[in-house]
Amino acid sequence: MTNSAIIAIDGPAGAGKSTVTRQVAMRLGLVYLDTGAMYRAVTWLLQSLDLPVQESKALQQALSDLELRLEAQQQGDQLVWVNGKNVTEQIRTAEITAGVSAVAALPSVRNALTAQQRRLGASGGLVAEGRDIGTAVFPNAELKVYLTATVAERARRRSADLIQRGLPLPDLKQLEQEINTRDQLDSTRAVAPLCKAADALELVSDGMSIEQVVQQIVSWYEAKLLPPGFS
Ligand code: CDP
């Protein structure tokens, strides 16, 4: 049994996709691809070059010069490199989080990153998380999961995550509002908006532990992809 399958995990902000996807990758021996980190990296690049968030010659140039690399670490962590600079920490700041959806709506940014994601997935054996993986990047993925949770639950998780990272903590109402704004921007953009693929399995994770969510996805994978009697 070779793990050449592609699993697509999409869903709105703060649904726990990163943690879950990382663990699914480790359990199934698949490469983990965090496409949100790639959009965050480009947002960082635009901010550091002081480029306006709009289509322009300068943006085209920045994208064609871009060398974006995700480097796997132990425990499923990864480093993010932009043009030789380690931006792993910088791409998680509130400023990047607030700006990323506008950058991700630019068609030239989506084209560039989608092309790189497809190259990374060309030989399969990958679990990718994002907003448009099952709909636009890998529409033929063997398993598609749409992972979501209520806004209140997602804000609560985001706040726990910020505490753990030692980052400044806005109040829950503000987090809910930020999540709503990002969901709205991501699901109404013209190119590859956030939406559930027709053939995705939906998982609403309120009240579920990370382990339960991981187990559910692994079970779906086994049911769909392993020959009978294999698991
Ligand atoms: O982890 P979190 O839910 O905060 O978001 P993320 O996965 O890091 O993605 C950050 C942003 O990148 C999203 O809000 C989208 O605007 C954009 N994104 C996208 O447009 N398409 C993807 N495949 C992944 C992320």
Side-chain angles (χ1 to χ4, degrees), residues 102-117:
V103 173
L106 296 171
S108 62
V109 172
R110 300 210 72 80
N111 283 339
L113 295 189
T114 301
Q116 183 172 356
Q117 290 154 16

Side-chain angles (χ1 to χ4, degrees), residues 13-14 35-36 39-40 101 104 110 131-132 158 182 186 189:
T35 64
Y39 286 96
R40 287 171 178 273
S101 290
R110 300 210 72 80
R131 302 291 188 283
D132 62 340
R158 183 48 49 109
R182 208 137 58 91
D186 289 345
R189 69 177 170 230

Side-chain angles (χ1 to χ4, degrees), residues 7-10 15-38 40 70-80 88-89 91-92 125-130 147 158 161 164-165 210-211 213-215 217-218:
I7 304 180
I9 302 187
D10 290 304
K17 293 188 303 291
S18 299
T19 316
V20 163
T21 307
R22 218 173 278 196
Q23 295 196 14
V24 168
M26 283 199 284
R27 289 266 285 272
L28 297 176
L30 298 167
V31 170
Y32 162 58
L33 178 61
D34 174 2
T35 64
M38 299 172 75
R40 287 171 178 273
L70 304 178
E71 183 191 345
Q73 299 282 93
Q74 280 180 349
Q75 298 303 319
D77 288 342
Q78 63 173 11
L79 299 180
V80 181
T88 312
E89 299 288 325
I91 64 167
R92 302 290 163 189
L126 181 99
V127 49
E129 56 138 323
L147 181 62
R158 183 48 49 109
D161 185 45
Q164 209 206 344
R165 289 172 203 248
I210 289 165
E211 176 51 30
V213 175
V214 170
Q215 188 49 53
I217 295 173
V218 168

